[in-house]
Amino acid sequence: MHINVKKEILGSGPAIIGFVILLVMIMAALLAPLIAPYDPQQQSVSSLLAPSMSHWLGTNHVGQDIWSQLLYGARTSLLVGFSVGALAVLFGSICGVSAALIGGLYERIIMRLVDSLIVIPMIIVIIVIAAYIKPNILVLIVLLSLLSWESGARIIWSQTLSLKERGYIAAARSFGARKSYLAWRHIIPALGPILLVDFIYGIRRAVFLEAGLAFLGISDPATISWGMMMRDALGFSYLNVWQWWLVPTGIALSLTIVGLTFIGHAVEPIIDPRLRGAEVA
Amino acid sequence: MLSRQHIITYGIALVFILALNFLLPRMMPGDPLMAIYGEEALVAMTPQLKAELVERFALDQSIWQQVGAYVLALLRGELGYSYYYNAPVFSVVLGRLPWTLLLVGTSLVLSTILGIVLGVESGWRRGSWTDRTMLAGLMSLNGFPDFFVGMVLLIVFGVIGGIFPLAGALTPYSGLTGWASVADIVTHMVLPVTALSLAHLSGGYLLTRNTMITVLKEPYILTARAKGLPPHAVKYRHAGRNSLLPVVTQTGIWAGRVFTGALFVELVFAYPGVGYLTYEAMMARDYPVIQGLFLVVAVAVLAANFLVELSYRKLDPRVSRAH
């Protein structure tokens, strides 16, 4: 599987747009403490102000600066997104690769478990768990990662099975290479592009879920989140504040997800090479 | 028919759901009765009622006896009692289910049909300007969370436009009957259904387009063209129909997604389905209802997946022989 990921991505217009969007969001998240004009938690008596020079996007119902909240919201979204993406890839590849290499009863147990998790609607599981333990951001990351590694594990498993039969890996095995050596030296590097796709879609799912859960009221009130901001804004939809409160927040969230989709879609032909050339005009 | 493998898979999923539902309240620190019923309900309880509930859940006995009591209660269809709604959980959930099914069913049908048609057209013209615009447009749409789409629709067509009602599924106390009440339900449905359908359009579209691209390379398409069939016949009868199969498998998974999507959209429109009920129950800390909802929704989604898998096997006999 020799694929030039860089070429694959840079050859696609939407992917470049996706990268630019993601880069802007990452910058906003990293530089939030420097760019944000106010402390996003700072409440004031000047609530529901219209945009002005001092408050670019006005203020919310408790007088917090919306622009500053928007910047800090990017932090939460991306922190949850990247952490969950990485952890899900980690769990997925540990289970997928080990199941394919070890085989036997172990493989059967792991794969049955994976299949079962795939058919369970995860949002509902998270909601019921969150109803009991009000999760802070760390717990949320762990929870989301534990519940979103299974589809990646399935793809990684099937790819490892086919890799195992390749000439060079069969050769290494015939020289007596141990399974752990095979996994680290040959399988994981060859899986690189697939892990990348899994990672990107993992981030996308986590960003969406985090916002959705916060929108439902399942979040740590101390953490500023786009979902929470939209939920607050919904309560004031009869005023004209939605123009600078709801819309920018929703657009920021949507753009982040769109950017990740564009990148993911450009890398996807790696998993299914039959799609290659579908974009080329 | 179904392999043993699949029955085991769904069996494990079901056990996982039941185990989670059983263990969660019992793993919470403190009085399990409080975790099962919530603080507020417990304050209002008389000692006799408490004793009765401890006995019903077998809380004073070993964990296995508790499991037994739990399973027996489920088999009798008992999901507990909601002190917030003052009714059995089962009937509370059942009363809301039709609204959600109406919303989800309509959206699923609309978005799947539209997705297939757009996917066939797009894949047929692959690489063209139309195809690229549709692809970029629908992929962007895919990024817009359903609740955000819903809120924008609500503000534009509800608050500003005043064309559609803002909340609910019916006009309360309107006393409408016959066609007038059907029209009332439909006008209340338009915005939530549009939000859900738009947000879930891209799944069917992308999948159909991808399959279409693969199918169009098949020799039988060349044959169909060579024998002089008109393009629309090749497009829909030969390529389109064969692009349907993957869409059918995905419908089960989409059903789950649209169902959970409805959770968010119902909250936006205060639509009285199970999604809004989940929200109300969480706000009221009505744990029996949350648990009952979780069980009903999770099992419903499992059942949908299971049925789709069955029908898929009927549609494509190769699948059942593949294992």
Side-chain angles (χ1 to χ4, degrees):
Chain A
M1 208 182 318
H2 293 287
I3 295 148
N4 189 342
V5 176
K6 221 190 276 172
K7 207 179 115 202
E8 204 83 44
I9 294 171
L10 291 179
S12 145
I16 297 172
I17 300 173
F19 260 109
V20 172
I21 295 174
L22 198 62
L23 211 64
V24 170
M25 296 299 168
I26 293 175
M27 294 303 277
L30 289 178
L31 300 178
L34 299 174
I35 337 173
Y38 298 90
D39 175 357
Q41 300 279 16
Q42 181 67 50
Q43 304 191 358
S44 69
V45 283
S46 43
S47 60
L48 296 176
L49 289 182
S52 64
M53 281 313 283
S54 53
H55 294 283
W56 289 4
L57 292 176
T59 56
N60 68 7
H61 59 312
V62 286
Q64 293 161 331
D65 182 53
I66 293 173
W67 168 241
S68 306
Q69 286 213 316
L70 202 60
L71 290 170
Y72 275 88
R75 285 198 144 190
T76 312
S77 273
L78 293 185
L79 177 66
V80 172
F82 278 89
S83 319
V84 172
L87 283 173
V89 169
L90 185 70
F91 296 150
S93 40
I94 290 175
C95 291
V97 171
S98 67
L101 285 184
I102 295 171
L105 184 64
Y106 173 77
E107 180 183 27
R108 267 160 59 202
I109 292 175
I110 294 280
M111 293 322 290
R112 274 298 72 74
L113 202 69
V114 165
D115 283 347
S116 314
L117 282 176
I118 287 176
V119 294
I120 295 174
M122 283 310 153
I123 294 187
I124 305 165
V125 175
I126 296 170
I127 288 175
V128 75
I129 295 177
Y132 286 96
I133 38 169
K134 275 269 174 193
N136 60 25
I137 193 160
L138 218 66
V139 176
L140 188 70
I141 289 172
V142 174
L143 210 59
L144 288 178
S145 324
L146 284 177
L147 293 171
S148 56
W149 55 275
E150 72 283 349
S151 52
R154 194 156 226 309
I155 297 166
I156 291 165
W157 168 74
S158 66
Q159 284 296 327
T160 310
L161 279 185
S162 88
L163 278 173
K164 216 168 78 167
E165 305 307 323
R166 297 285 167 92
Y168 68 103
I169 292 179
R173 270 162 64 192
S174 72
F175 283 129
R178 272 180 303 150
K179 279 171 179 147
S180 58
Y181 174 82
L182 279 183
W184 284 113
R185 187 74 181 79
H186 293 298
I187 307 273
I188 300 275
L191 284 176
I194 287 187
L195 300 184
L196 180 70
V197 180
D198 195 25
F199 179 54
I200 291 166
Y201 283 142
I203 302 174
R204 186 181 70 167
R205 197 170 41 226
V207 167
F208 174 77
L209 280 178
E210 189 277 329
L213 291 171
F215 179 73
L216 283 181
I218 302 168
S219 66
D220 185 355
T223 318
I224 289 159
S225 147
W226 288 338
M228 193 172 79
M229 291 169 68
M230 292 170 79
R231 169 192 160 86
D232 290 340
L234 179 65
F236 295 87
S237 57
Y238 51 89
L239 296 175
N240 58 359
V241 291
W242 57 270
Q243 297 167 36
W244 51 83
W245 188 1
L246 170 67
V247 171
T249 317
I251 299 271
L253 172 62
S254 306
L255 274 182
T256 310
I257 301 176
V258 170
L260 289 163
T261 311
F262 280 175
I263 300 171
H265 194 78
V267 204
E268 213 165 11
I270 296 168
I271 289 187
D272 189 355
R274 286 173 307 176
L275 299 177
R276 193 172 301 257
E279 260 61 74
V280 184
Chain B
M1 280 311 280
L2 273 181
S3 63
R4 214 180 67 206
Q5 209 180 16
H6 279 95
I7 295 172
I8 296 174
T9 299
Y10 283 92
I12 296 175
L14 191 65
V15 169
F16 175 81
I17 289 165
L18 292 177
L20 194 67
N21 222 12
F22 173 79
L23 287 175
L24 259 179
R26 286 169 179 82
M27 279 184 342
M28 298 306 290
D31 189 352
L33 203 55
M34 187 169 101
I36 293 174
Y37 273 101
E39 237 169 299
E40 290 83 352
L42 209 61
V43 175
M45 272 182 210
T46 58
Q48 295 105 293
L49 187 60
K50 246 187 232 180
E52 195 194 304
L53 286 175
V54 166
E55 202 196 303
R56 179 184 301 172
F57 290 108
L59 286 177
D60 51 351
Q61 289 163 38
S62 77
I63 190 86
W64 291 112
Q65 275 160 316
Q66 289 189 39
V67 173
Y70 175 73
V71 173
L72 274 178
L74 280 184
L75 287 179
R76 285 195 300 264
E78 281 173 21
L79 291 177
Y81 192 84
S82 162
Y83 285 90
Y84 182 73
Y85 295 97
N86 215 357
V89 171
F90 195 64
S91 67
V92 174
V93 175
L94 223 55
R96 301 292 193 95
L97 207 54
W99 292 118
T100 301
L101 290 179
L102 185 67
L103 223 55
V104 170
T106 318
S107 317
L108 201 60
V109 170
L110 282 178
S111 63
T112 308
I113 292 178
L114 197 60
I116 290 172
V117 171
L118 290 178
V120 167
E121 292 296 332
S122 192
W124 181 255
R125 276 163 245 252
R126 144 183 157 218
S128 73
W129 187 84
T130 333
D131 172 46
R132 278 184 298 164
T133 317
M134 271 209 263
L135 185 66
L138 280 157
M139 269 189 354
S140 315
L141 195 65
N142 183 30
F144 284 72
D146 30 30
F147 55 91
F148 180 54
V149 177
M151 283 155 98
V152 171
L153 290 176
L154 175 78
I155 288 171
V156 173
F157 294 101
V159 178
I160 301 174
I163 308 170
F164 294 105
L166 299 180
L170 299 161
T171 311
Y173 314 115
S174 60
L176 294 172
T177 48
W179 287 110
S181 77
V182 173
D184 187 45
I185 291 173
V186 171
T187 45
H188 278 84
M189 262 172 67
V190 172
L191 291 183
V193 165
T194 312
L196 273 177
S197 310
L198 281 179
H200 295 273
L201 186 60
S202 64
Y205 163 77
L206 282 176
L207 195 62
T208 314
R209 181 180 173 277
N210 285 354
T211 332
M212 196 64 186
I213 287 167
T214 324
V215 167
L216 283 176
K217 287 177 190 152
E218 299 282 340
Y220 63 80
I221 299 292
L222 192 66
T223 313
R225 277 192 177 141
K227 69 184 183 191
L229 285 182
H232 68 89
V234 182
K235 203 192 316 183
Y236 281 95
R237 214 179 306 149
H238 292 251
R241 192 192 280 180
N242 282 296
S243 310
L244 277 182
L245 276 178
V247 178
V248 175
T249 15
Q250 286 294 311
T251 321
I253 293 166
W254 288 329
R257 275 200 208 146
V258 180
F259 213 104
T260 45
L263 230 95
F264 301 111
V265 171
E266 281 178 11
L267 173 55
V268 173
F269 294 96
Y271 201 84
V274 285
Y276 196 57
L277 178 64
T278 311
Y279 176 74
E280 285 177 332
M282 280 205 316
M283 291 301 113
R285 295 181 169 278
D286 190 342
Y287 290 113
V289 168
I290 297 176
Q291 287 221 308
L293 271 171
F294 167 68
L295 205 63
V296 170
V297 173
V299 171
V301 173
L302 273 192
N305 280 331
F306 192 77
L307 287 177
V308 166
E309 205 140 356
L310 267 180
S311 64
Y312 187 53
R313 268 146 208 288
K314 282 242 153 77
L315 275 174
D316 190 355
R318 285 172 302 180
V319 181
S320 35
R321 279 188 229 126
H323 291 288

Coordinates of all heavy atoms in Angstrom, one line a residue, chain B residues 192-256:
Chain B
P192 N -39.3 20.7 11.2 CA -38.4 19.6 11.8 C -38.1 18.6 10.7 O -36.9 18.2 10.7 CB -39.3 19.0 12.9 CG -40.5 19.8 13.1 CD -40.6 20.8 12.0
V193 N -39.0 18.2 9.9 CA -38.7 17.2 8.9 C -37.7 17.7 7.9 O -36.8 17.0 7.5 CB -40.0 16.7 8.1 CG1 -39.7 15.9 6.9 CG2 -40.8 15.8 9.1
T194 N -37.9 19.0 7.5 CA -36.9 19.6 6.5 C -35.5 19.6 7.2 O -34.5 19.2 6.5 CB -37.3 21.0 6.2 OG1 -38.7 21.0 5.8 CG2 -36.5 21.6 5.0
A195 N -35.4 20.0 8.4 CA -34.1 20.0 9.1 C -33.5 18.7 9.1 O -32.3 18.5 8.7 CB -34.3 20.6 10.5
L196 N -34.2 17.7 9.5 CA -33.7 16.3 9.6 C -33.3 15.8 8.2 O -32.2 15.2 8.0 CB -34.7 15.4 10.2 CG -34.7 15.2 11.7 CD1 -35.8 14.3 12.2 CD2 -33.4 14.7 12.2
S197 N -34.2 16.0 7.2 CA -33.9 15.5 5.9 C -32.7 16.1 5.3 O -31.8 15.4 4.7 CB -35.1 15.7 4.9 OG -36.3 15.3 5.5
L198 N -32.5 17.4 5.4 CA -31.4 18.1 4.9 C -30.1 17.6 5.5 O -29.1 17.4 4.9 CB -31.5 19.6 5.1 CG -32.4 20.4 4.2 CD1 -32.5 21.9 4.5 CD2 -31.9 20.2 2.7
A199 N -30.2 17.5 6.9 CA -28.9 17.1 7.6 C -28.5 15.7 7.2 O -27.4 15.3 7.3 CB -29.1 17.3 9.1
H200 N -29.5 14.8 6.8 CA -29.1 13.4 6.6 C -29.2 13.1 5.1 O -29.1 11.9 4.7 CB -30.0 12.5 7.4 CG -29.8 12.7 8.9 ND1 -28.8 12.0 9.5 CD2 -30.3 13.5 9.8 CE1 -28.8 12.4 10.8 NE2 -29.7 13.3 11.0
L201 N -29.2 14.1 4.2 CA -29.3 13.8 2.8 C -28.0 13.3 2.3 O -28.0 12.4 1.4 CB -29.6 15.2 2.1 CG -29.9 15.2 0.6 CD1 -31.1 14.3 0.3 CD2 -30.2 16.6 0.2
S202 N -26.9 13.8 2.8 CA -25.6 13.5 2.2 C -25.2 12.0 2.3 O -24.5 11.5 1.4 CB -24.5 14.3 2.8 OG -24.4 14.0 4.1
G203 N -25.7 11.3 3.3 CA -25.3 9.9 3.4 C -25.7 9.1 2.2 O -24.9 8.4 1.6
G204 N -27.0 9.1 1.9 CA -27.5 8.4 0.7 C -26.9 8.9 -0.5 O -26.6 8.1 -1.4
Y205 N -26.7 10.2 -0.6 CA -26.1 10.7 -1.9 C -24.7 10.3 -2.1 O -24.4 9.7 -3.2 CB -26.2 12.3 -1.8 CG -25.3 12.9 -2.7 CD1 -25.6 13.1 -4.1 CD2 -24.0 13.4 -2.4 CE1 -24.8 13.6 -5.0 CE2 -23.2 14.0 -3.3 CZ -23.5 14.1 -4.6 OH -22.7 14.7 -5.5
L206 N -23.9 10.4 -1.1 CA -22.5 10.0 -1.2 C -22.3 8.5 -1.6 O -21.6 8.1 -2.5 CB -21.7 10.3 0.0 CG -21.3 11.8 0.2 CD1 -20.6 12.0 1.6 CD2 -20.4 12.3 -0.9
L207 N -23.1 7.7 -0.8 CA -23.0 6.3 -1.1 C -23.5 5.9 -2.5 O -22.8 5.1 -3.2 CB -23.8 5.6 0.0 CG -23.5 4.1 0.1 CD1 -22.1 3.9 0.6 CD2 -24.4 3.5 1.2
T208 N -24.6 6.5 -2.9 CA -25.1 6.1 -4.2 C -24.1 6.6 -5.3 O -23.9 5.9 -6.3 CB -26.5 6.8 -4.5 OG1 -27.3 6.6 -3.3 CG2 -27.2 6.2 -5.7
R209 N -23.6 7.8 -5.1 CA -22.7 8.3 -6.1 C -21.4 7.4 -6.2 O -21.0 7.1 -7.3 CB -22.3 9.7 -5.7 CG -21.3 10.4 -6.7 CD -20.9 11.8 -6.2 NE -19.9 12.3 -7.1 CZ -18.6 12.0 -7.0 NH1 -18.2 11.3 -6.0 NH2 -17.7 12.5 -7.8
N210 N -20.9 7.0 -5.0 CA -19.7 6.2 -5.1 C -20.0 4.8 -5.8 O -19.2 4.4 -6.6 CB -19.2 5.9 -3.6 CG -18.5 7.1 -3.0 OD1 -18.3 8.1 -3.7 ND2 -18.2 7.0 -1.8
T211 N -21.1 4.2 -5.4 CA -21.5 2.9 -6.0 C -21.7 3.1 -7.5 O -21.3 2.3 -8.3 CB -22.8 2.3 -5.4 OG1 -22.9 2.8 -4.1 CG2 -22.7 0.9 -5.4
M212 N -22.4 4.2 -7.9 CA -22.7 4.5 -9.2 C -21.4 4.5 -10.1 O -21.3 4.0 -11.1 CB -23.4 5.9 -9.2 CG -24.1 6.3 -10.5 SD -25.5 5.2 -10.9 CE -25.9 5.9 -12.4
I213 N -20.4 5.2 -9.5 CA -19.1 5.3 -10.2 C -18.5 3.9 -10.5 O -18.0 3.6 -11.6 CB -18.1 6.2 -9.4 CG1 -18.6 7.7 -9.5 CG2 -16.7 6.1 -9.9 CD1 -18.0 8.6 -8.5
T214 N -18.6 3.1 -9.4 CA -18.1 1.7 -9.6 C -18.9 0.9 -10.6 O -18.4 0.3 -11.5 CB -18.1 1.0 -8.3 OG1 -17.8 1.9 -7.2 CG2 -17.1 -0.1 -8.2
V215 N -20.2 1.0 -10.5 CA -21.1 0.2 -11.3 C -21.0 0.6 -12.8 O -21.0 -0.2 -13.7 CB -22.6 0.4 -10.8 CG1 -23.6 -0.1 -11.8 CG2 -22.8 -0.3 -9.5
L216 N -20.8 1.9 -13.0 CA -20.7 2.4 -14.4 C -19.5 1.8 -15.2 O -19.5 1.9 -16.4 CB -20.7 3.9 -14.4 CG -22.0 4.6 -14.2 CD1 -21.8 6.1 -14.2 CD2 -23.0 4.2 -15.3
K217 N -18.6 1.3 -14.4 CA -17.4 0.7 -15.1 C -17.7 -0.8 -15.5 O -16.8 -1.4 -16.1 CB -16.2 0.7 -14.1 CG -15.6 2.1 -14.0 CD -14.5 2.1 -13.0 CE -14.1 3.6 -12.7 NZ -13.5 3.7 -11.3
E218 N -18.8 -1.3 -15.0 CA -19.1 -2.7 -15.3 C -19.3 -3.0 -16.8 O -19.9 -2.1 -17.4 CB -20.3 -3.2 -14.5 CG -20.2 -3.1 -13.0 CD -19.3 -4.2 -12.4 OE1 -19.2 -5.2 -13.0 OE2 -18.8 -4.0 -11.3
P219 N -19.0 -4.2 -17.2 CA -19.2 -4.5 -18.6 C -20.7 -4.4 -19.1 O -21.0 -4.0 -20.2 CB -18.7 -5.9 -18.8 CG -17.8 -6.2 -17.6 CD -18.3 -5.2 -16.5
Y220 N -21.6 -4.8 -18.2 CA -23.0 -4.8 -18.6 C -23.5 -3.4 -18.9 O -24.5 -3.3 -19.6 CB -23.9 -5.6 -17.6 CG -24.0 -5.0 -16.2 CD1 -24.9 -3.9 -16.0 CD2 -23.3 -5.5 -15.2 CE1 -25.0 -3.4 -14.7 CE2 -23.4 -5.0 -13.9 CZ -24.2 -3.9 -13.7 OH -24.4 -3.4 -12.4
I221 N -22.9 -2.4 -18.4 CA -23.3 -1.0 -18.7 C -22.9 -0.7 -20.1 O -23.7 -0.2 -20.9 CB -22.6 0.0 -17.7 CG1 -23.1 -0.3 -16.3 CG2 -23.0 1.4 -18.1 CD1 -24.5 0.0 -16.0
L222 N -21.7 -1.2 -20.5 CA -21.2 -1.0 -21.8 C -22.1 -1.7 -22.8 O -22.5 -1.2 -23.8 CB -19.8 -1.6 -21.9 CG -19.0 -1.2 -23.2 CD1 -18.7 0.2 -23.2 CD2 -17.7 -2.0 -23.3
T223 N -22.5 -3.0 -22.4 CA -23.5 -3.7 -23.3 C -24.8 -3.0 -23.4 O -25.3 -2.8 -24.6 CB -23.8 -5.1 -22.6 OG1 -22.5 -5.7 -22.2 CG2 -24.5 -6.0 -23.5
A224 N -25.3 -2.5 -22.3 CA -26.6 -1.8 -22.4 C -26.5 -0.6 -23.3 O -27.4 -0.3 -24.1 CB -27.0 -1.3 -21.0
R225 N -25.3 0.1 -23.2 CA -25.2 1.3 -24.1 C -25.0 0.9 -25.5 O -25.6 1.5 -26.4 CB -23.9 2.1 -23.6 CG -24.2 3.0 -22.5 CD -23.0 3.9 -22.3 NE -23.2 4.9 -21.3 CZ -22.2 5.3 -20.4 NH1 -21.0 4.8 -20.5 NH2 -22.5 6.1 -19.5
A226 N -24.2 -0.2 -25.7 CA -23.9 -0.7 -27.1 C -25.2 -1.1 -27.8 O -25.3 -0.9 -29.0 CB -22.9 -1.8 -27.0
K227 N -26.1 -1.7 -27.1 CA -27.3 -2.1 -27.8 C -28.3 -1.0 -28.0 O -29.4 -1.2 -28.4 CB -28.0 -3.3 -27.1 CG -28.6 -3.0 -25.7 CD -29.1 -4.3 -25.1 CE -29.8 -4.0 -23.8 NZ -30.1 -5.2 -23.0
G228 N -27.9 0.2 -27.7 CA -28.6 1.4 -28.1 C -29.7 1.8 -27.1 O -30.7 2.5 -27.5
L229 N -29.7 1.4 -25.8 CA -30.7 1.8 -24.9 C -30.6 3.4 -24.6 O -29.5 3.9 -24.6 CB -30.5 1.1 -23.5 CG -30.9 -0.3 -23.5 CD1 -30.7 -0.9 -22.1 CD2 -32.4 -0.5 -23.9
P230 N -31.7 4.0 -24.4 CA -31.7 5.4 -24.1 C -31.0 5.7 -22.8 O -31.1 4.8 -21.9 CB -33.1 5.9 -24.1 CG -33.9 4.6 -23.9 CD -33.1 3.5 -24.5
P231 N -30.3 6.8 -22.6 CA -29.5 7.1 -21.4 C -30.3 6.9 -20.1 O -29.7 6.3 -19.2 CB -29.1 8.5 -21.6 CG -29.1 8.8 -23.0 CD -30.2 7.9 -23.6
H232 N -31.5 7.3 -20.1 CA -32.3 7.3 -18.8 C -32.5 5.8 -18.4 O -32.5 5.5 -17.2 CB -33.6 8.1 -18.8 CG -34.6 7.5 -19.8 ND1 -35.5 6.6 -19.4 CD2 -34.8 7.7 -21.1 CE1 -36.3 6.3 -20.4 NE2 -35.9 7.0 -21.4
A233 N -32.6 4.9 -19.4 CA -32.8 3.5 -19.1 C -31.5 2.9 -18.5 O -31.6 2.2 -17.5 CB -33.2 2.8 -20.3
V234 N -30.4 3.3 -19.1 CA -29.1 2.8 -18.6 C -28.9 3.4 -17.2 O -28.5 2.6 -16.2 CB -28.0 3.2 -19.5 CG1 -26.7 2.7 -19.0 CG2 -28.2 2.8 -20.9
K235 N -29.2 4.6 -17.0 CA -29.0 5.3 -15.8 C -29.7 4.7 -14.6 O -29.2 4.4 -13.6 CB -29.3 6.8 -16.0 CG -28.6 7.7 -15.0 CD -29.2 9.1 -14.9 CE -29.5 9.8 -16.2 NZ -29.9 11.2 -16.1
Y236 N -31.0 4.6 -14.8 CA -31.8 4.1 -13.7 C -32.0 2.6 -13.6 O -31.9 2.0 -12.6 CB -33.2 4.9 -13.6 CG -33.0 6.3 -13.0 CD1 -32.8 7.4 -13.8 CD2 -33.0 6.4 -11.6 CE1 -32.6 8.6 -13.3 CE2 -32.7 7.7 -11.1 CZ -32.6 8.8 -11.9 OH -32.4 10.0 -11.4
R237 N -32.4 2.0 -14.8 CA -32.7 0.6 -14.8 C -31.5 -0.3 -14.6 O -31.5 -1.3 -13.9 CB -33.5 0.2 -16.1 CG -34.5 -0.8 -15.8 CD -35.3 -1.2 -17.0 NE -35.9 -0.1 -17.7 CZ -36.1 0.0 -19.0 NH1 -35.7 -1.0 -19.7 NH2 -36.7 1.0 -19.5
H238 N -30.4 0.1 -15.2 CA -29.2 -0.7 -15.1 C -28.2 -0.3 -14.0 O -27.9 -1.1 -13.2 CB -28.5 -0.8 -16.5 CG -29.2 -1.5 -17.5 ND1 -28.9 -2.7 -18.0 CD2 -30.4 -1.1 -18.2 CE1 -29.8 -3.1 -18.9 NE2 -30.7 -2.1 -19.0
A239 N -27.8 0.9 -14.1 CA -26.8 1.4 -13.1 C -27.5 1.7 -11.7 O -27.1 1.3 -10.7 CB -26.1 2.6 -13.6
G240 N -28.6 2.5 -11.8 CA -29.2 3.0 -10.6 C -29.7 1.8 -9.7 O -29.4 1.8 -8.5
R241 N -30.3 0.8 -10.3 CA -30.9 -0.2 -9.5 C -29.8 -1.0 -8.8 O -29.9 -1.4 -7.6 CB -31.7 -1.2 -10.3 CG -32.5 -2.1 -9.5 CD -33.1 -3.2 -10.3 NE -34.3 -2.8 -11.1 CZ -35.0 -3.6 -11.8 NH1 -34.6 -4.9 -12.0 NH2 -36.0 -3.2 -12.5
N242 N -28.7 -1.2 -9.5 CA -27.6 -1.9 -8.8 C -26.8 -1.1 -7.8 O -26.0 -1.6 -7.1 CB -26.6 -2.5 -9.9 CG -27.2 -3.7 -10.6 OD1 -27.4 -4.7 -9.9 ND2 -27.6 -3.5 -11.8
S243 N -27.1 0.2 -7.8 CA -26.4 1.1 -6.8 C -27.2 1.1 -5.5 O -26.8 1.8 -4.6 CB -26.2 2.5 -7.3 OG -25.6 2.4 -8.6
L244 N -28.4 0.5 -5.6 CA -29.3 0.6 -4.4 C -28.9 -0.2 -3.2 O -29.1 0.1 -2.1 CB -30.7 0.1 -4.8 CG -31.6 1.1 -5.5 CD1 -33.0 0.5 -5.8 CD2 -31.8 2.4 -4.6
L245 N -28.2 -1.4 -3.5 CA -28.0 -2.4 -2.4 C -27.2 -1.8 -1.2 O -27.7 -1.9 -0.1 CB -27.2 -3.6 -3.0 CG -28.1 -4.6 -3.6 CD1 -27.3 -5.8 -4.1 CD2 -29.1 -5.2 -2.5
P246 N -26.1 -1.1 -1.5 CA -25.4 -0.6 -0.3 C -26.3 0.4 0.5 O -26.2 0.5 1.7 CB -24.2 0.1 -0.9 CG -24.1 -0.2 -2.3 CD -25.4 -0.8 -2.7
V247 N -27.1 1.2 -0.2 CA -28.0 2.1 0.4 C -28.9 1.4 1.4 O -29.2 1.9 2.5 CB -28.8 3.0 -0.6 CG1 -29.7 3.9 0.1 CG2 -27.8 3.7 -1.5
V248 N -29.4 0.3 1.0 CA -30.4 -0.5 1.8 C -29.7 -0.9 3.1 O -30.2 -0.7 4.2 CB -30.9 -1.7 1.1 CG1 -31.7 -2.6 2.0 CG2 -31.7 -1.3 -0.1
T249 N -28.4 -1.4 3.0 CA -27.7 -1.8 4.2 C -27.5 -0.6 5.2 O -27.6 -0.8 6.4 CB -26.2 -2.3 4.0 OG1 -25.8 -1.9 2.8 CG2 -26.1 -3.7 4.3
Q250 N -27.3 0.5 4.6 CA -27.0 1.7 5.4 C -28.3 2.2 6.1 O -28.2 2.9 7.1 CB -26.3 2.8 4.6 CG -24.9 2.5 4.3 CD -24.0 2.5 5.5 OE1 -24.1 3.4 6.3 NE2 -23.2 1.4 5.6
T251 N -29.4 1.9 5.5 CA -30.6 2.5 6.0 C -30.8 2.2 7.5 O -31.3 3.1 8.3 CB -31.9 2.0 5.2 OG1 -31.5 2.0 3.9 CG2 -33.0 3.0 5.4
G252 N -30.4 1.0 7.9 CA -30.6 0.7 9.3 C -29.7 1.6 10.2 O -30.2 2.1 11.2
I253 N -28.5 1.8 9.7 CA -27.6 2.7 10.5 C -28.1 4.1 10.5 O -28.1 4.8 11.5 CB -26.2 2.6 9.9 CG1 -25.6 1.2 10.2 CG2 -25.3 3.6 10.5 CD1 -24.4 0.8 9.4
W254 N -28.6 4.5 9.3 CA -29.2 5.9 9.2 C -30.4 6.0 10.1 O -30.6 7.0 10.7 CB -29.6 6.2 7.8 CG -28.4 6.4 6.9 CD1 -27.2 6.9 7.4 CD2 -28.2 6.2 5.6 NE1 -26.3 7.0 6.3 CE2 -26.9 6.5 5.2 CE3 -29.1 5.6 4.6 CZ2 -26.5 6.4 3.9 CZ3 -28.6 5.5 3.3 CH2 -27.3 5.9 3.0
A255 N -31.2 5.0 10.2 CA -32.4 5.0 11.0 C -32.0 5.4 12.4 O -32.6 6.3 13.1 CB -33.2 3.7 11.0
G256 N -30.9 4.7 12.9 CA -30.4 5.1 14.2 C -29.9 6.5 14.3 O -30.2 7.2 15.3

